[in-house]
Amino acid sequence: ANDPFLSLEYEKPLAELKAGIDKNFLENTIKTYMVENPHKLFLTLEPKSGLEKGNNAKIDEELKAYKTSLTKKDIEDLVKDTKELVNYQQREDNPEALEKIPMLSREDINPKVNWYSVDEREISNVPVLSYAEFTNGVVYSKLYFDMRVLPTELVPYAALLAEVMGSLNTENYTYGDLDNELNINTGGFSTYLDNFLVGKNDANMIPKFVVSSKAMNDKVMKMFELVGEIVNKTKYADNDRLKELLQRHQSRLEANIKQNGYNYTQTRLTSYFSNQGKFNELTRGIEYYRFITGLTKNFDTKAEEISNNLVKTANLLFNKNNLTATVTCTKNDYPDFAERVGGFITSLPENKMELKKWELNVAKKNEGFLTASKVQYVLKGFDYKKLGYNWSGKMLVLSQILSTDWLQTQIRVVGGAYGGWSTFTPGGVAFFASYRDPNLKETIANYDSTPGYLTKFEADDKEMTRYIIGTIAGLDRPLTPSEKGDVAVKYFIEKISPEYYQKTRDEVLATTAEDVRSMKKLVADVLAQNTFCIYGNEDKINSAKDIFGEVVKLNP
């Protein structure tokens, strides 16, 4: 009791669980708490068309009736109270109160950047990047296949391929048996898409198909046996199973798009002006959702085409000449990994590799997506590098100030949204965002007022130190061993030097109030591009229809 470390212990309860396997522990748990559980609830939710519009009309009538019941003095008092509330919300914190908050000094911050680097090796002419770190016996493997071997029309199929791999029958396993083998012998298997910007330049995007797996060091041989089975011997022509997986995937996407409006809006916005954004839109955004929905609805007539395209995508991707293998493990575990991954490499076909030049056709659309949501996600931004600006670590401090001061006050405190912030990335993306926002045009007006805020921005050395500490906290978050390995691989693929990140850190630590004010023109130029995307309430968007390039139903 009262032991703070009790929840961190796992060996003892795990041993008890293992011992219980022979005593039907899991079977008895299912029987007691599920099969023979007498508590049941059947709940039916039925959608009603126009319900939100009707509720809003009812509220409007109630508010009109309430206003009619007020005297002139009552209305004047409400106006006065509202103005006092807004003034209170916008008031700066009391300096005396701020002095009571303990704070580090800039001298307490480590001036040196944390750097993670890989060891470059080669096995059978395939690059192997290893990161040595104590992992308590776990071997983390990631196999990166360059997606530029695919024609543009197969890019969405690569995302679908990543979704179904490991869930289909193979030559030697049913999908159920395969799942059991993966659970017994590995700590996880997954496939997904990633992308990297060489030199932090959006024009130099390298998209990758990633096969990720991890296992204890005595299970690495079995892990690669299963990885090889999935990569080389998956059967994509099982129409019944493929249809089931597609329907499940589409259903999850539909639920996700309704629950995570911010993520889809951000992806859509960046697709207007960046290759990276467009790639993400094609493989996980609204466009991908529509692609999967189309395949699902027309599966019976397109089944052969779908399975053929999956086969074609896999055959182009999974090629020895198209692979970079990576691992994070201890130095002692590397030799065994090298032997096992070497066996996997020899199992891959060795075809001539031809990289395609993609035309992703980024274009400004300024869309408003109509949904049943009661709130909005309002995003506005652009690629500042296309406007002639270069990356500086000072932009991170600018973002910290705007997010925790200006936008926090205007969008959240006064505007009533759950949150408001800005983001600036080394790749060139800059945007302003609101989360679960009751407003629309008012929020855009607040974004557009940011240059005025920066003109008047003042902060003494202590205030700037507070902003800088907040910025550094975002840069120096703790990383797990596998995350360190991923960062090291990212640095290598993007060809970024320690000097680049050290320069960024130096710029952060040296940022002054004058530096912040000087970025007024950068912000003004980004906002002047008038590039935005909004996901929100149908009535709210339609009432501001004049500002949009296109108003679109999310589920056409």
Side-chain angles (χ1 to χ4, degrees):
N2 300 321
D3 183 355
F5 298 103
L6 191 61
S7 61
L8 300 178
E9 295 179 2
Y10 67 90
E11 292 288 358
K12 184 178 178 181
L14 184 60
E16 292 174 354
L17 182 61
K18 287 180 177 179
I21 291 176
D22 296 330
K23 300 176 182 178
N24 295 328
F25 173 79
L26 296 177
E27 292 85 348
N28 291 334
T29 299
I30 292 171
K31 180 180 178 182
T32 302
Y33 296 105
M34 296 181 185
V35 178
E36 296 182 354
N37 185 347
H39 304 289
K40 298 179 178 67
L41 171 66
F42 294 94
L43 178 65
T44 302
L45 299 176
E46 296 182 359
K48 180 180 178 181
S49 180
L51 179 63
E52 179 66 19
K53 189 173 183 179
N55 288 341
N56 289 338
K58 185 178 179 181
I59 292 172
D60 287 342
E61 289 299 319
E62 291 174 353
L63 291 174
K64 287 177 183 177
Y66 175 69
K67 184 176 180 180
T68 302
S69 70
L70 298 175
T71 65
K72 183 178 180 180
K73 184 177 184 307
D74 290 336
I75 294 174
E76 289 174 349
D77 288 343
L78 279 174
V79 171
K80 179 184 176 185
D81 290 344
T82 301
K83 288 181 178 178
E84 289 178 353
L85 174 62
V86 172
N87 288 335
Y88 172 76
Q89 291 171 324
Q90 294 180 327
R91 189 182 307 155
E92 293 186 5
D93 293 322
N94 188 316
E96 293 180 359
L98 291 174
E99 285 292 331
K100 296 177 182 179
I101 301 176
M103 192 176 76
L104 298 171
S105 68
R106 295 196 201 191
E107 288 70 31
D108 294 318
I109 301 172
N110 182 359
K112 298 297 181 183
V113 71
N114 292 322
W115 181 253
Y116 307 100
S117 60
V118 295
D119 291 323
E120 298 178 59
R121 306 170 188 263
E122 190 176 277
I123 297 175
S124 299
N125 297 320
V126 170
V128 177
L129 310 177
S130 67
Y131 179 76
E133 177 82 5
F134 174 73
T135 59
N136 204 23
V138 181
V139 175
Y140 298 92
S141 165
K142 289 191 177 180
L143 309 173
Y144 291 84
F145 294 91
D146 197 323
M147 286 182 58
R148 291 174 296 174
V149 296
L150 301 177
T152 311
E153 62 269 19
L154 288 183
V155 170
Y157 274 99
L160 176 58
L161 180 68
E163 177 64 27
V164 301
M165 282 184 68
S167 298
L168 289 165
N169 295 335
T170 68
E171 287 185 13
N172 298 301
Y173 294 92
T174 65
Y175 64 83
D177 290 339
L178 180 63
D179 187 58
N180 287 336
E181 288 295 310
L182 288 170
N183 287 332
I184 292 169
N185 294 288
T186 77
F189 169 88
S190 63
T191 48
Y192 60 92
L193 309 186
D194 203 348
N195 58 80
F196 303 87
L197 301 183
V198 177
K200 299 298 182 183
N201 186 339
D202 183 65
N204 298 330
M205 182 187 68
I206 298 180
K208 297 283 190 178
F209 188 103
V210 187
V211 177
S212 174
S213 56
K214 60 183 177 180
M216 298 304 297
N217 49 18
D218 60 343
K219 295 280 189 177
V220 174
M221 181 175 71
K222 185 65 176 179
M223 178 179 75
F224 274 109
E225 176 195 313
L226 295 171
V227 169
E229 180 76 19
I230 295 168
V231 169
N232 296 316
K233 300 177 181 179
T234 293
K235 296 181 178 180
Y236 297 102
D238 182 347
N239 289 349
D240 290 340
R241 178 59 176 168
L242 194 56
K243 184 175 183 178
E244 179 186 340
L245 291 174
L246 252 179
Q247 289 174 333
R248 183 192 305 170
H249 184 38
Q250 194 279 336
S251 177
R252 288 174 176 172
L253 284 175
E254 189 162 309
N256 192 37
I257 206 171
K258 292 173 181 176
Q259 296 169 5
N260 297 292
Y262 169 76
N263 291 336
Y264 283 91
T265 311
Q266 179 193 331
T267 300
R268 191 72 171 185
L269 173 73
T270 54
S271 76
Y272 297 165
F273 54 77
S274 79
N275 290 317
Q276 187 178 52
K278 186 67 175 182
F279 172 79
N280 290 335
E281 176 64 19
L282 290 170
T283 57
R284 66 178 190 223
I286 291 172
E287 202 158 329
Y288 177 68
Y289 160 70
R290 289 173 172 166
F291 165 76
I292 293 298
T293 300
L295 294 187
T296 306
K297 286 182 177 179
N298 300 292
F299 183 83
D300 292 337
T301 58
K302 285 192 160 191
E304 185 176 356
E305 176 187 337
I306 294 169
S307 60
N308 286 344
N309 280 334
L310 287 173
V311 170
K312 185 177 180 181
T313 302
N315 288 342
L316 287 169
L317 281 173
F318 304 136
N319 177 0
K320 174 183 173 181
N321 293 325
N322 193 38
L323 170 64
T324 297
T326 74
V327 63
T328 299
C329 63
T330 61
K331 289 183 178 180
N332 290 339
D333 288 331
Y334 178 79
D336 186 55
F337 166 83
E339 180 181 350
R340 307 309 175 187
V341 78
F344 168 78
I345 289 171
T346 58
S347 75
L348 292 172
E350 191 171 355
N351 302 320
K352 183 179 179 181
M353 187 179 69
E354 180 185 350
L355 299 181
K356 306 288 193 300
K357 186 171 177 59
W358 291 353
E359 295 294 338
L360 295 180
N361 300 321
V362 301
K364 173 179 171 180
K365 295 182 179 179
N366 285 11
E367 294 158 301
F369 287 94
L370 303 173
T371 73
S373 173
K374 294 183 179 181
V375 292
Q376 284 64 245
Y377 301 92
V378 183
L379 281 83
K380 183 173 185 178
F382 199 68
D383 184 341
Y384 62 82
K385 289 188 176 180
K386 290 182 177 178
L387 303 176
Y389 295 95
N390 296 316
W391 167 251
S392 168
K394 297 179 189 300
M395 292 180 187
L396 292 176
V397 183
L398 170 67
S399 179
Q400 176 74 10
I401 292 169
L402 295 180
S403 300
T404 60
D405 188 353
W406 168 246
L407 297 174
Q408 164 78 3
T409 300
Q410 298 303 118
I411 306 300
R412 178 171 180 168
V413 178
V414 177
Y418 276 27
W421 61 89
S422 68
T423 297
F424 293 80
T425 74
V429 172
F431 64 83
F432 293 71
S434 68
Y435 188 84
R436 296 189 62 82
D437 190 348
N439 305 304
L440 196 160
K441 282 188 173 181
E442 300 89 342
T443 294
I444 293 176
N446 279 319
Y447 295 162
D448 291 341
S449 299
T450 304
Y453 163 80
L454 292 174
T455 299
K456 301 174 184 177
F457 178 78
E458 294 288 347
D460 61 23
D461 186 67
K462 191 161 189 176
E463 289 174 301
M464 286 305 302
T465 298
R466 185 176 288 111
Y467 291 129
I468 288 168
I469 290 172
T471 305
I472 291 293
L475 295 176
D476 287 356
R477 70 176 185 85
L479 300 176
T480 64
S482 63
E483 288 174 330
K484 291 177 183 177
D486 290 344
V487 170
V489 169
K490 180 181 176 70
Y491 289 166
F492 179 86
I493 295 176
E494 294 192 336
K495 299 181 180 178
I496 298 298
S497 67
E499 290 75 22
Y500 176 91
Y501 283 103
Q502 185 61 56
K503 181 174 181 290
T504 292
R505 192 178 187 86
D506 292 342
E507 288 165 344
V508 168
L509 294 173
T511 304
T512 65
E514 176 57 34
D515 291 328
V516 175
R517 288 192 295 272
S518 72
M519 287 184 275
K520 167 191 168 183
K521 188 173 186 307
L522 159 69
V523 172
D525 287 347
V526 166
L527 292 167
Q529 304 311 305
N530 200 35
T531 302
F532 57 83
C533 183
I534 298 169
Y535 170 116
N537 179 268
E538 183 172 354
D539 292 339
K540 196 80 172 181
I541 288 179
N542 277 328
S543 68
K545 201 169 184 177
D546 57 300
I547 72 171
F548 293 101
E550 187 177 3
V551 171
V552 188
K553 280 189 176 292
L554 190 58
N555 298 307

